[in-house]
Amino acid sequence: MIKFGVLSITLLVGTAQGLVLALMLWRSAANRAANRWLALLILAVAALITPYIIGFAGFYDTWPWLSFLPLNYSLAFGPLLWLYATSLTGQTPAPVWPHFLPVVCEFLADALVFPLPLETKNWWDTVAMAPIIAPVLRVASFISLAVYGRLAWAVWAQYRRWLRENVTDAVDHDPDWIRNFLGALGLVALVWLGFFIANLRDPARNYFDQFWLYVIFSGLVIYLGVEGWRHAAMRYPQPADVVEDALPPAQLPGRDWAALGAKFEAEIEARRLWQDPDLTATSLARALGTNGNYLARAFNEGLGLNFNALINRRRVRQVQAWLADPADNRAILTMAMDAGFRSKASFNRAFAEFAGMTPTEARLKS
């Protein structure tokens, strides 16, 4: 008899909300590739929960032939979370299909057995699936999550470093959502591992004992959907957009990075290039007739500052000069925008870093 009770409805409500959000992510115009990877991840987690939704509602008791319904895609979790992180930061590898070969095997482990007679399926479950195949696939899922999670974390860390060295408003594009996303998946994976170990130690545990695990999975679906949608249209500067491969002109100084850095800084000052709110390391290199590598070494090795620090420090000094002028009664935020800052957040952080106080405190001291 089919009956949706508290257990099945609890899982169904959370999963359904996640599916609606996954559909919204799939149709999102911004960050299309990344949002679709996230939508597929939500769908894969929802598929993992589905056997418990229908199981608690009595589907398997009423229709036993539903056993081995191929809804387990846990080996896709790792590749999907990694592809989401890489796509969001403009680093998607190609091709991607080899990363999904394991989940194809996982799918076939159920799909090939699903159409067989019930007696055959029960025999196969007793001699192979439950004692050998299912535990091996689950362990493989944990390994996959660990490996791809580590790769995705490295992508986040590398992108964060790149962001802080190549754009002046890094705070406006801080990819903390990626870190939080990976952290949430990591915590759920640890809980999942705990339940798996408990099941190995006590084979008498049944699917009712798994209820709270799948409540957590249902919460994960909602979290990924809501937070993913909140960040769906966020603009993340792409390293691919700012790679500069051209060699520097032959007339540039050789490898005296201090002299080259001083030359670049003088030209930046003379042309007031720091005042351009759209300035990036690449656009600056192009304006100076050099490339990104020369520019980075001239700043980092020659001046002891990266691009972000050099430009924002100069902007802060300009705002300080304006604040010190009693005749200048412009609003502080107007001064920040005139100096080249794009947002209040990036201005406040840079001002605190280079002036050692807030802009309001600096105005009061003038």
Side-chain angles (χ1 to χ4, degrees):
M1 178 179 175
I2 304 301
K3 183 179 180 180
F4 282 88
V6 174
L7 300 184
S8 54
I9 290 175
T10 299
L11 298 180
L12 178 61
V13 168
T15 304
Q17 291 179 15
L19 292 176
V20 170
L21 290 162
L23 177 61
M24 293 167 63
L25 284 166
W26 186 269
R27 299 181 63 181
S28 175
N31 299 320
R32 181 179 293 272
N35 288 332
R36 289 190 170 185
W37 291 126
L38 182 58
L40 288 174
L41 176 57
I42 292 172
L43 291 175
V45 178
L48 187 70
I49 302 170
T50 298
Y52 290 84
I53 297 174
I54 64 176
F56 290 135
F59 278 63
Y60 291 107
D61 295 329
T62 304
W63 300 306
W65 56 267
L66 285 174
S67 62
F68 286 89
L69 188 65
L71 290 172
N72 188 5
Y73 307 107
S74 57
L75 280 169
F77 293 177
L80 288 171
L81 72 90
W82 174 65
L83 287 166
Y84 175 66
T86 54
S87 297
L88 206 61
T89 57
Q91 305 172 58
T92 307
V96 300
W97 64 265
H99 299 279
F100 294 99
L101 290 177
V103 77
V104 171
C105 297
E106 185 178 37
F107 168 78
L108 291 174
D110 285 331
L112 293 176
V113 181
F114 178 65
L116 298 177
L118 182 59
E119 296 77 7
T120 304
K121 291 199 284 188
N122 290 338
W123 170 80
W124 179 253
D125 186 57
T126 301
V127 302
M129 179 58 77
I132 302 172
I133 298 174
V136 167
L137 289 175
R138 190 62 74 236
V139 169
S141 297
F142 293 133
I143 294 173
S144 173
L145 273 170
V147 171
Y148 281 102
R150 180 66 185 87
L151 291 173
W153 188 272
V155 167
W156 167 77
Q158 180 184 8
Y159 178 73
R160 198 162 183 254
R161 286 193 300 270
W162 174 86
L163 199 63
R164 293 185 172 183
E165 293 183 359
N166 288 273
V167 298
T168 57
D169 53 348
V171 64
D172 297 329
H173 312 288
D174 201 325
D176 281 349
W177 152 238
I178 299 176
R179 179 199 61 196
N180 298 341
F181 159 81
L182 294 173
L185 278 168
L187 287 174
V188 172
L190 286 175
V191 174
W192 192 16
L193 177 61
F195 272 83
F196 174 71
I197 293 172
N199 292 340
L200 289 179
R201 297 184 64 179
D202 181 10
R205 288 167 58 89
N206 60 31
Y207 66 88
F208 284 97
D209 297 312
Q210 304 292 103
F211 172 70
W212 289 108
L213 170 62
Y214 289 91
V215 168
I216 292 172
F217 272 119
S218 183
L220 177 65
V221 164
I222 295 173
Y223 172 74
L224 293 179
V226 171
E227 289 299 306
W229 179 250
R230 284 185 61 236
H231 295 84
M234 183 170 178
R235 183 178 70 87
Y236 288 96
Q238 305 289 293
D241 295 338
V242 297
V243 172
E244 179 65 63
D245 294 325
L247 293 174
Q251 65 268 25
L252 284 177
R255 297 188 182 275
D256 186 346
W257 301 116
L260 188 57
K263 178 180 184 293
F264 287 159
E265 187 174 23
E267 190 168 350
I268 291 167
E269 182 63 30
R271 296 166 57 185
R272 298 181 73 87
L273 296 174
W274 50 269
Q275 213 163 358
D276 178 6
D278 296 318
L279 193 67
T280 65
T282 295
S283 66
L284 178 59
R286 198 173 291 121
L288 295 174
T290 186
N291 68 17
N293 289 332
Y294 265 53
L295 189 72
R297 295 194 67 177
F299 286 171
N300 294 325
E301 298 180 32
L303 303 178
L305 294 169
N306 63 26
F307 162 78
N308 185 305
L310 183 79
I311 299 302
N312 280 339
R313 184 183 67 173
R314 179 60 186 88
R315 290 171 175 171
V316 167
R317 286 178 177 172
Q318 183 60 63
V319 174
Q320 285 179 296
W322 286 333
L323 289 172
D325 182 0
D328 194 335
N329 57 6
R330 283 176 297 166
I332 293 176
L333 188 57
T334 299
M335 293 181 179
M337 300 298 109
D338 290 344
F341 288 102
R342 294 182 65 94
S343 73
K344 184 177 180 180
S346 58
F347 167 61
N348 285 340
R349 177 172 291 192
F351 200 94
E353 180 180 355
F354 296 112
M357 65 184 78
T358 67
T360 303
E361 289 171 342
R363 168 157 272 177
L364 291 174
K365 288 183 64 175
S366 303

